[in-house]
Amino acid sequence: MLSRLIPVVFCGIALAKAPAQEPAQHVDLTKFPAAAVDDVVVPVPSEVFNVLDKLGSPNWNAEMRDNLGKNSGDRAQVALLLGTVIADGFIAVEAENAERVKDIGQEVLTLADAINVRKAVIARSKSITEKADAKNWSAVRSELDGALQDVKGAMEELGDEDLAQLVSLGGWIRGTEVLTSIVGKNYTLDGAQLLCQPELVNYFSRRVDAMRNSRLKKSKLVQTVRRLLKDIRPLIKRETIPIETVQKIHTMTNKVVIVITTQES
Amino acid sequence: MALGLSMALARVDDALSFAHEAADPYTREGFTVREDAWGGDLGVKDQQAVTAQLFKGNVYWFWLGTDTKGAVITVHIYDSEGNLAESEYWQKGRFAAAKITPKKTGTYYAIVTVEKSSRERSNWALVYGYK
C-alpha cells in the first residue's frame, strides 16, 4: 500500500521540552508553531459515516440524488463536483445500492479525466465496481476514501494544490448537507455534535484564502464556497447545536451543492 | 522550513513503515488505518503537534514510528484545551501509540516527542486508524 505522507516538518525549530516518562496532564498549545497547529488533518468521509452507522438506521435511499451534476468544463467546478460525487458514493454504500455505487465509480473516473488525474483512480474505480458487485461494503468505503486521497495526491503532484483542496471541500459540503439532513430528521445531541468542526472550517477558509491561483480564487463558485464557510463558522462553535441550526446549515449547504451541480449562481 | 512532499517521503519512508508495523495488529481488531500519514524530523526533546478533527462515537489509535535505531519516541493526545485526552498509550523504543475515545466531537492534538536518540534529528511518521 502506498501511503501518502503529509509533511509537518519545521526543521530547526526547538519546541517545548517534554517529560521523559508519564505524559503531561496539560500542554500549552500556544508553544507550538501556529503553522503546525493550524494545519488540520481533514477527516476521511468514512470517519463520519462510521459514527452515523452507530447512531441509527437512517433512510439512506432518500439521501441519494438522481442527478450527480454536469461537468461545465470549469476546473474549479469539476474539482468541487468530484468531491460531491465521491461523497455520494458513501451514501450509495450506506444504502447498499451496488448499481448506484458502480455508476458513481464510473462518474469519478469521468470527472478525474476532465482534470487530468484519471490515471490515479483507474485501479480504484475498477476495485469499487468489483467490491460493489461482491457487496463488500466496508471495502467499497475504503476504496472511496482511497480514491479521494489518490485524486488529491495526483493533483498535488501536478502542482494543483488549490484544486485538490476544492475536491476535499466538495466532499465536505455534500457530506455536511447529508449529515444535516439525517440529523434534522432524527435529531439527537450526539448526532448534531458531529457538526462541531470549527477548526476544520477555519482550516478550509484559510486554504481558500491562501489559494495561489488568483483566477481560481476569484471565481464566482469559489467565492460562493468561501461565503458558505464564513457563514457556517459561527454556527458550529458550540458543543450543543440546536435543531434549528442543523436545519439552517442544511439549507445553506444544499444551496451550494445545487450551485456546484448545476454551475448556476 | 517545511519540506516538500517528495523530499519528506524519501526521508521518512522507513519511519512510515515502522508506524504501519505498529498499526498492523490493530487492523485485526477492526481498526481502519488511514492511507495518508504525517511525518518529519525532530531533535531530541523536540515536539511536534498534529491537529485532527475527531468524532465522538469513533475510537481512534494513533501509531508512531521512527527509523532511528535505539531512539525513544512518544505520542500523546490532547484536547483543544491542552488537556491529556487519551485513554491508553504505550511506548516500545522506535514504536509508540495512543488511544482515544473522544468524549466530544472536536479538535484534538497528537503531540509527537523524540525522547531519546543517537542522532541529532530523527525521522518520524504518524498514522491513525478508527473504528
Side-chain angles (χ1 to χ4, degrees), chain A residues 3-6 8-9 15 19 24-27 36-37 41-42 46-47 50 54 124 149 190 193 199 239, chain B residues 5 12 20 34-37 39-40 47-48 51 56-58 78 81-84 104-105 107 115 128 130:
Chain A
S3 286
R4 299 202 34 74
L5 189 91
I6 291 92
V8 283
V9 190
L15 307 173
Q25 290 300 308
H26 183 85
V27 292
V37 176
V41 174
V42 179
S46 280
E47 290 176 59
N50 205 42
K54 296 169 189 169
R124 294 283 186 189
Q149 298 303 323
D190 280 351
Q193 211 196 50
E199 288 307 319
E239 280 176 36
Chain B
L5 184 68
V12 301
H20 280 294
R34 281 187 58 156
E35 290 192 19
D36 40 7
Q47 293 185 308
Q48 179 71 54
T51 309
K56 181 183 176 183
N58 284 336
Y78 292 85
E81 307 296 318
N83 297 314
L84 188 67
K104 58 184 182 183
T105 293
T107 309
E115 298 283 0
Y128 82 79
Y130 55 93

Side-chain angles (χ1 to χ4, degrees), chain B residues 65 80 88:
Chain B
S80 57
E88 202 178 318

Side-chain angles (χ1 to χ4, degrees), chain B residues 114-129:
Chain B
V114 174
E115 298 283 0
K116 267 177 29 182
S117 179
S118 55
R119 289 192 198 158
E120 193 178 333
R121 301 192 71 80
S122 300
N123 296 323
W124 61 273
L126 182 78
V127 294
Y128 82 79

Side-chain angles (χ1 to χ4, degrees), chain A residues 12 22 35-36 55 88 105 119 136 181 188 201 212 216 259:
Chain A
E22 288 297 307
L55 290 177
D88 273 283
K119 209 172 152 188
N136 185 349
S181 171
T188 62
V201 171
R212 288 183 299 183
L216 196 71
V259 172

Side-chain angles (χ1 to χ4, degrees), chain B residues 80-103:
Chain B
S80 57
E81 307 296 318
N83 297 314
L84 188 67
E86 67 203 17
S87 57
E88 202 178 318
Y89 75 94
W90 56 259
Q91 198 294 315
K92 288 172 193 162
R94 62 170 64 186
F95 306 102
K99 179 188 182 184
I100 176 168
T101 307
K103 289 192 174 70

